[in-house]
Amino acid sequence: MTHRTQLNQAEEHLRRARAQAQGDAHAILDKVADRYRRVRHASPMTKGNREARICTVSVELFGYGPRAEAAEREALRLAPPVDPRLPITRGEYAVKLHTVLSGRSL
């Protein structure tokens, strides 16, 4: 009999998949932040650019398939939203991404 605090096999598989998706999402966001810092950092940040860049980097890093899809979903969940009423540059958004990646709150 397993102890109540121990995960069964299915729960353990799900826990590992979530941990992998979170690690993959961090890799995506790190690469996105690096690009925003280096390329056109003074340009305005848009919601569409946020989503497109995360999708593009997900494919670059993980190809197509369940792993890439899970990482992309997690990256979109973790990445701060872009509010068109509050203009922000790509460079400023990169700082926000690094704040999220470091575990600090915005």
Side-chain angles (χ1 to χ4, degrees):
M1 185 164 121
T2 62
H3 191 274
R4 181 67 186 135
T5 59
Q6 292 178 329
L7 300 176
N8 67 33
Q9 191 172 13
E11 290 168 335
E12 177 62 18
H13 179 72
L14 183 58
R15 184 197 65 78
R16 287 183 186 187
R18 284 184 182 144
Q20 181 180 30
Q22 188 169 28
D24 291 349
H26 280 224
I28 291 168
L29 295 179
D30 187 51
K31 192 167 181 178
V32 167
D34 184 53
R35 178 169 174 95
Y36 287 157
R37 204 174 41 254
R38 290 182 299 103
V39 180
R40 296 189 323 272
H41 62 276
S43 294
M45 184 65 199
T46 65
K47 179 182 176 186
N49 184 271
R50 169 189 174 266
E51 293 168 359
R53 179 59 47 200
I54 288 173
C55 178
T56 300
V57 171
S58 174
V59 171
E60 287 173 3
L61 292 176
F62 307 109
Y64 297 96
R67 180 178 180 185
E69 291 170 10
E72 182 182 330
R73 274 193 309 274
E74 184 66 8
L76 286 168
R77 187 185 71 76
L78 292 172
V82 176
D83 186 347
R85 295 171 294 163
L86 303 171
I88 186 171
T89 66
R90 290 163 49 112
E92 291 167 331
Y93 191 76
V95 172
K96 283 186 164 193
L97 286 175
H98 280 296
T99 301
V100 168
L101 292 171
S102 69
R104 293 176 293 202
S105 61
L106 292 172

